[in-house]
Amino acid sequence: MNAPTRINSALNVRDQFPALGGWHYLDSAATAQKPQAVINAITAAYSCDYATVHRGVYERSASMTDAYERSRAAAARLVGGQPNELVFTRGATEAINLVARTLPKAGRSRVLLSQLEHHSNIVPWQLAGYEVDAVPLTGDGQIDLDAAERMLTEDHRVVALAHVSNVLGSIVDARRAAEIAHAKGALLLLDGCQAVPRLSVDVASIGADFYAFSAHKLYGPTGIGCLWGRADLLASMPPLQGGGAMIDTVSFDDSTFLDPPARFEAGTPHIVGAIGLHAAIEWVEQLSIDAIHAHECALVGETRRALAAIGGVTVYGPDDSAGIVSFNVDGVHPHDTATILDDAGVAVRAGHHCAQPLMRWLGVEATARASFAAHSDSSDIEALVRGIEQVKRVFG
Ligand SMILES: Cc1ncc(COP(=O)(O)O)c(C=O)c1O
């Protein structure tokens, strides 16, 4: 418990989240609470600095444009990419849809996913006309990359995997996934929604081709996310939406488009969202993502040990999962578990977590899920354990 104690006591992390109070918020994998620094940046952007970007010739618009582009540079740097490779989207869902809809298929018609994917990394491929294959999981809930290697064919255009599972917290060996994909001439897209808030990411050393994430899981605002893509691939992709800000010339006969990333950002963007995202990135970097990861790993270990000690609780996923613990109290529906926990001031998610194929693989309809953030500490786990003991008392 050294790491959790250190991160909290040295920097008063918990006190920086005004919406927390005494609440035991264990649903950060759904969306993260916001630190005051992010709230302040958003408030200042609307109350002092607000103007549109890219079009105004007046000074405030120019400085808003600078702030918007600085956010792009920070988001690109966060995952080890370049600003011209970073497209702002509404979130990871839109980022994956963008790739599925616009990446030229190059004569290939299949996508290789895994059994644990979020619906956001399944449905877009189906809608875009891909044939979907799903890699099975190992017994402890990791993507079985040996099986992926066997399943991959020259018909697969993309291998698209969650970098970290939103249900099990399992971390895929991303570098090996890239090698496997590239050996068959396929591309690797990583869904980094749960990875970016908890792991240091470097698309260059991974060898990824696309990387998608959402700001709201990274302590930033909703409504904005990012697609990082290799520059040559983005250049090969046509726009998904047309409108202002993405064109070069327009006539009634024809229009021409700007280069990426502007080509993919039609319309007035989420300007203040980008500023909030930048503040969130700076906040995370100031704590250090490695410290957050160590902190959350210690909390996961503590939680898994505590749940095992209660007895009658099934815990899913690998022991070294990143920041997320899914479980079921035997014989109790997870919605009932979550309702009793809510009465005890503990917020967990219960349901299929937008991962119905994974629920089928686990052989359950739903699970309860506790997920951690930089502000979480042992008091949250103690409250969770007390709540689960109450669940067991209520349900006999
Ligand atoms: C692994 C994963 N992928 C994709 C998404 C979709 O993210 P968003 O709803 O922010 O687009 C989520 C959100 O829960 C997620 O956890």
Side-chain angles (χ1 to χ4, degrees):
M1 282 305 299
N2 289 340
T5 311
R6 222 174 23 239
I7 201 172
N8 277 309
S9 59
L11 296 156
N12 296 323
V13 174
R14 205 176 178 99
D15 296 346
Q16 296 181 44
F17 288 80
L20 275 182
W23 195 32
H24 298 288
Y25 183 70
L26 293 177
D27 199 18
S28 296
T31 196
Q33 296 291 331
K34 314 307 169 201
Q36 191 64 52
V38 170
I39 298 167
N40 289 348
I42 292 170
T43 306
Y46 278 127
S47 54
C48 309
D49 308 324
Y50 189 67
T52 194
V53 293
H54 293 151
R55 286 181 281 268
V57 288
Y58 47 93
E59 196 186 325
R60 198 185 284 183
S61 173
S63 59
M64 226 25 175
T65 304
D66 279 352
Y68 183 73
E69 293 303 326
R70 277 199 306 276
S71 173
R72 188 192 307 282
R77 196 184 60 241
L78 181 74
V79 295
Q82 297 300 318
N84 65 321
E85 301 167 326
L86 197 290
V87 181
F88 282 129
T89 62
R90 281 194 302 130
T93 301
E94 188 174 86
I96 297 170
N97 274 278
L98 174 57
V99 177
R101 291 293 179 118
T102 65
L103 179 72
K105 287 192 174 128
R108 296 174 178 228
S109 58
R110 308 190 80 83
V111 63
L112 187 65
L113 311 177
S114 86
Q115 188 73 40
L116 58 65
E117 297 310 312
H118 190 282
H119 299 163
S120 292
N121 194 27
I122 302 173
V123 183
W125 303 104
Q126 293 170 331
L127 288 175
Y130 282 87
E131 303 282 338
V132 172
D133 298 303
V135 180
L137 308 182
T138 59
D140 64 348
Q142 322 232 28
I143 298 172
D144 184 345
L145 289 180
D146 292 336
E149 195 162 20
R150 289 192 297 274
M151 290 172 72
L152 198 64
T153 69
E154 281 169 10
D155 268 350
H156 288 102
R157 175 62 164 144
V158 181
V159 176
L161 303 174
H163 196 174
V164 170
S165 159
N166 66 310
V167 179
L168 304 174
S170 7
I171 307 171
V172 75
D173 179 346
R175 209 173 288 180
R176 178 154 181 242
E179 283 164 14
I180 290 170
H182 294 160
K184 281 280 190 314
L187 302 170
L188 178 70
L189 178 144
L190 289 170
D191 169 357
C193 256
Q194 301 296 341
V196 158
R198 0 193 101 82
L199 297 181
S200 120
V201 173
D202 182 5
V203 288
S205 74
I206 290 171
D209 300 294
F210 295 103
Y211 201 93
F213 61 100
S214 292
H216 70 99
K217 297 186 196 273
L218 184 70
Y219 309 98
T222 53
I224 187 159
C226 302
L227 172 69
W228 171 86
R230 255 176 47 201
D232 59 315
L233 293 171
L234 291 178
S236 75
M237 291 157 52
L240 182 61
Q241 297 185 325
M246 50 74 75
I247 53 85
D248 182 20
T249 62
V250 176
S251 75
F252 289 117
D253 297 323
D254 200 11
S255 301
T256 58
F257 311 120
L258 294 175
D259 289 335
R263 180 189 299 173
F264 302 110
E265 295 179 9
T268 306
H270 191 356
I271 304 165
V272 177
I275 289 167
L277 168 60
H278 193 177
I281 291 170
E282 286 184 339
W283 186 84
V284 164
E285 286 177 341
Q286 173 231 334
L287 275 185
S288 122
I289 196 74
D290 290 339
I292 294 175
H293 181 53
H295 173 73
E296 293 191 8
C297 284
L299 293 172
V300 163
E302 190 181 338
T303 305
R304 293 178 75 94
R305 284 191 297 277
L307 295 183
I310 296 175
V313 179
T314 303
V315 181
Y316 305 100
D319 285 337
D320 63 350
S321 67
I324 295 169
V325 180
S326 275
F327 62 94
N328 271 322
V329 181
D330 298 347
V332 182
H333 195 283
H335 285 158
D336 293 328
T337 301
T339 303
I340 292 175
L341 286 170
D342 186 33
D343 287 343
V346 180
V348 298
R349 172 99 181 256
H352 55 60
H353 314 289
C354 298
Q356 289 183 6
L358 174 56
M359 294 299 114
R360 275 178 223 118
W361 184 84
L362 293 173
V364 296
E365 266 177 45
T367 71
R369 177 186 72 185
S371 52
F372 299 106
H375 54 70
S376 311
D377 62 24
S378 296
S379 74
D380 299 317
I381 300 170
E382 285 153 18
L384 175 72
V385 168
R386 280 195 305 275
I388 292 175
E389 281 163 350
Q390 174 67 2
V391 171
K392 293 191 70 172
R393 274 194 295 278
V394 170
F395 286 89

